[in-house]
Amino acid sequence: MTIRESDWKVFKRLRAIALERLSQRILDECREICAREGATAHERYGELYGLIRERNREMAQAFDGFSRSDAVLQLRLIRAHDLLTEAEMAEFSEETRRMADVTI
């Protein structure tokens, strides 16, 4: 499914915002793990390593490959991670919002 040119312009801008939000979320999770008391450094390292691997996989699914033909799928994944506000989603055409609302 390819989105309209006007929605593609919106997507390019909001995709960058969503990527920044996800990156910050991941960094916050990392800080929590690093600051955890009662766990050894090695335990925290192992947990941090696992988190980074999992989040990297999620990030790759939602953000790797940047084309209009993949935009709807990426938008669905970005929404699944709750990275855009309702106001930001309202910037898309009704057609694109409807396509992005499909449950993954």
Side-chain angles (χ1 to χ4, degrees):
M1 288 179 257
T2 301
I3 63 174
R4 302 176 185 182
E5 180 65 28
S6 58
D7 283 334
W8 174 243
K9 289 178 182 178
V10 171
F11 178 74
K12 289 191 298 187
R13 183 174 51 78
L14 293 180
R15 178 185 178 272
I17 292 169
L19 180 58
E20 185 65 18
R21 286 177 181 155
L22 181 57
S23 297
Q24 186 60 57
R25 184 183 295 168
I26 294 166
L27 289 173
D28 292 344
E29 289 175 311
C30 290
R31 262 191 286 287
E32 282 182 32
I33 291 170
C34 290
R36 188 167 299 133
E37 294 182 22
T40 68
H42 185 70
E43 290 168 338
R44 288 179 288 161
Y45 169 79
E47 189 175 346
L48 187 60
Y49 178 77
L51 175 75
I52 293 292
R53 274 186 76 187
E54 177 62 22
R55 295 300 182 263
N56 190 58
R57 184 187 63 75
E58 293 170 0
M59 187 178 284
Q61 286 178 332
F63 294 97
D64 283 3
F66 188 50
S67 68
R68 268 177 75 179
S69 60
D70 290 335
V72 171
L73 176 58
Q74 288 185 342
L75 186 55
R76 288 176 184 169
L77 290 166
I78 288 168
R79 284 188 52 100
H81 289 288
D82 196 29
L83 296 170
L84 294 176
T85 66
E86 288 303 315
E88 289 165 337
M89 282 303 299
E91 296 182 43
F92 290 103
S93 67
E94 184 178 333
E95 177 186 18
T96 295
R97 286 193 313 266
R98 191 172 37 252
M99 287 188 294
D101 261 347
V102 176
T103 304
I104 301 171

